[in-house]
Amino acid sequence: MVTVGVVGPRDLVASTCRIVEDMAGVTTVPLPYRTETQTAEVVRGAPGEVDAWLFTGVMPYEVASAAGVLDQPASFVNYTGAPLLTALIQLMRDGRDPASFSIDILDAGQVEETLKEAGIATSRVHVLPYRRGLTSQDIVAFHRERAAAGTGAAITCLRSAYTVLAPETTAIRLAPSIHSARYAMQQLLVALGEARSDGAQVAVGICEVPADAGAELRRESRSLGGTAVMQDDGRFIVFTTRGPLEAATSGFTQLPLVEKLGASHGSARVGFGIGATAAEAEALARHALTRAGHLGKVAAVVSLRNEIDLTLSGTSARPPRRPSLSLLSQRAGLAKTTLVRLQEMLAEQDDATVTTRSVAAALGVQQRTARRVLNRLERAGAAQPTGLQGLEGSGRPLVTYRLHL
């Protein structure tokens, strides 16, 4: 079951929730606001079980994105197409010219394309596309200026602008169509699936090391997000997920523990496999171990789907690769601006250790939201629990994390 937080004005949130909840496996949390300026506050106050955000329009989405509060995949309902044609039909029913209007928020090219498909001239159509920083006051001023110049009607995507314009001129407020809301939700589910899949892929490692290397291997395996367990055949097996493994190996380029074990015990071969299931990952791990055996006594290989084998260096001479924020944003389901703020926070510290309290302060969010951010980073392999930090007086100790950003 996926829980979607639906954000927007109360009437559109209610109608969008009804549309979204008709989709199997989806439940909604209504998150209405009075004005667009409250968007970030509403998102920050959402319950922790929200898996993804769906905004009833692009403006609240951009407000939340700019505020850095989108810690899960997010999408918005686009009003071009059916919603615009519905507004034009309303103009014709009211005896108004459907080829003379001003419209806000939408992309000018999309508006022109929709009108041409409907056979409507565009020479007397004026568009104010959305841009960062655009306010309700800007939108009202635009429509007033066009009305003064003789434009027939004002079509707005913003309820606050409609409330001001309706008493002054012919005004229509766009509302999302059922098709537009369903399409936005489908895109959101795709984004959520992509964000979850990479970091959640199962990783299995099979290790061939001398018996006396077991204790050291178990210690080193913690850096991979797993624990080494000895099997009946004398080999050790490690279960983890792709995210922690990719982070610990600097993007599948190096595995220093192989060199350490080889130097201490004479040999160390490791094969990791990554797949959708444990069985698939283990089969790939056995293939990777065979490849490592052909490379020498000290070697490590990661095998992925589609016959992709990656040989890992044993050296750690070069610094870990800085992760792509775009890729990490998708994998963790966090806004890129959130990751940038965390990088800025780390740059001001002496080390990369953080807690939910320090992250909450840096992002300007509640501690439960910060905990959600850290949990997502941990699943994506970009955060690693390192211990506990005691609090002064009463209260539970805080978990400390090391961020790889």
Side-chain angles (χ1 to χ4, degrees):
M1 181 68 70
V2 174
T3 301
V4 177
V6 181
V7 185
R10 187 172 299 277
D11 57 342
L12 296 188
V13 165
S15 59
T16 302
C17 283
R18 286 194 294 270
I19 295 169
V20 169
E21 288 189 337
D22 283 340
M23 304 178 72
V26 178
T27 186
T28 62
V29 175
L31 299 170
Y33 55 62
R34 290 191 301 276
T35 66
E36 298 76 22
T37 56
Q38 296 175 325
T39 301
E41 177 185 347
V42 167
V43 172
R44 289 191 185 104
E49 66 266 20
V50 171
D51 298 308
W53 307 105
L54 180 62
F55 294 83
T56 61
V58 63
M59 194 160 185
Y61 167 83
E62 290 290 353
V63 171
S65 179
V69 297
L70 299 182
D71 56 357
Q72 297 99 346
S75 183
F76 61 87
V77 181
N78 196 322
Y79 289 6
T80 309
L84 176 54
L85 292 176
T86 299
L88 300 184
I89 291 171
Q90 182 177 334
L91 286 177
M92 289 188 288
R93 285 175 176 170
D94 294 342
R96 304 284 181 177
D97 184 355
S100 176
F101 61 87
S102 55
I103 187 167
D104 56 59
I105 301 296
L106 303 185
D107 177 77
Q110 291 178 325
V111 172
E112 182 177 358
E113 185 178 82
T114 300
L115 296 180
K116 284 184 176 179
E117 287 182 354
I120 298 175
T122 60
S123 58
R124 291 181 295 150
V125 173
H126 307 275
V127 184
L128 177 65
Y130 179 80
R131 65 175 188 276
R132 280 284 176 93
L134 188 70
T135 66
S136 178
Q137 291 77 14
D138 296 330
I139 290 172
V140 169
F142 162 73
H143 287 294
R144 282 173 171 167
E145 180 181 345
R146 299 318 312 168
T151 299
I155 301 177
T156 180
C157 298
L158 223 57
R159 183 179 67 171
S160 56
Y162 173 79
T163 302
V164 175
L165 293 168
E168 304 176 2
T169 186
T170 300
I172 294 177
R173 178 185 168 208
L174 284 188
S177 67
I178 294 176
H179 170 76
S180 298
R182 284 178 178 165
Y183 179 78
M185 188 60 212
Q186 289 169 350
Q187 296 297 105
L188 181 57
L189 291 175
V190 170
L192 182 62
E194 289 177 349
R196 287 176 169 179
S197 62
D198 279 353
Q201 281 185 303
V202 179
V204 174
I206 302 177
C207 312
E208 284 185 348
V209 297
D212 60 352
E216 186 175 354
L217 176 61
R218 290 186 181 94
R219 287 197 304 272
E220 296 292 340
S221 295
R222 295 171 188 164
S223 66
L224 306 177
T227 302
V229 179
M230 190 172 184
Q231 303 298 292
D232 292 339
D233 60 4
R235 293 173 174 175
F236 289 84
I237 192 164
V238 178
F239 288 98
T240 181
T241 55
R242 176 176 179 144
L245 178 64
E246 186 170 358
T249 58
S250 298
F252 304 134
T253 60
Q254 56 189 248
L255 189 60
L257 76 84
V258 174
E259 187 173 88
K260 288 181 183 179
L261 293 173
S264 303
H265 303 278
S267 67
R269 297 190 185 99
V270 177
F272 268 99
I274 297 176
T277 66
E280 181 186 24
E282 185 174 349
L284 289 169
R286 295 188 184 283
H287 168 78
L289 185 62
T290 300
R291 285 294 312 277
H294 294 321
L295 297 176
K297 290 186 176 181
V298 180
V301 173
V302 174
S303 290
L304 311 176
R305 289 174 168 178
N306 303 319
E307 301 181 354
I308 298 174
D309 295 330
L310 306 174
T311 300
L312 306 186
S313 164
T315 178
S316 57
R318 60 193 178 102
R321 187 181 68 174
R322 195 176 194 182
S324 161
L325 291 191
S326 296
L327 179 60
L328 182 56
S329 173
Q330 292 178 359
R331 180 178 299 146
L334 297 172
K336 192 173 179 180
T337 51
T338 298
L339 301 177
V340 170
R341 289 190 182 186
L342 291 175
Q343 281 188 336
E344 293 171 347
M345 177 186 77
L346 293 178
E348 297 173 356
Q349 299 183 178
D350 295 331
D351 60 25
T353 301
V354 301
T355 65
T356 54
R357 177 174 291 180
S358 63
V359 168
L363 300 180
V365 299
Q366 297 178 0
Q367 284 198 46
R368 64 180 179 182
T369 301
R371 186 176 299 109
R372 205 160 52 204
V373 169
L374 288 169
N375 287 341
R376 279 170 164 70
L377 288 174
E378 183 181 357
R379 288 198 296 269
Q384 180 182 359
T386 57
L388 296 174
Q389 182 183 94
L391 297 175
E392 295 182 5
S394 60
R396 289 192 309 173
L398 297 174
V399 177
T400 58
Y401 293 82
R402 186 169 187 81
L403 296 185
H404 306 287
L405 298 173

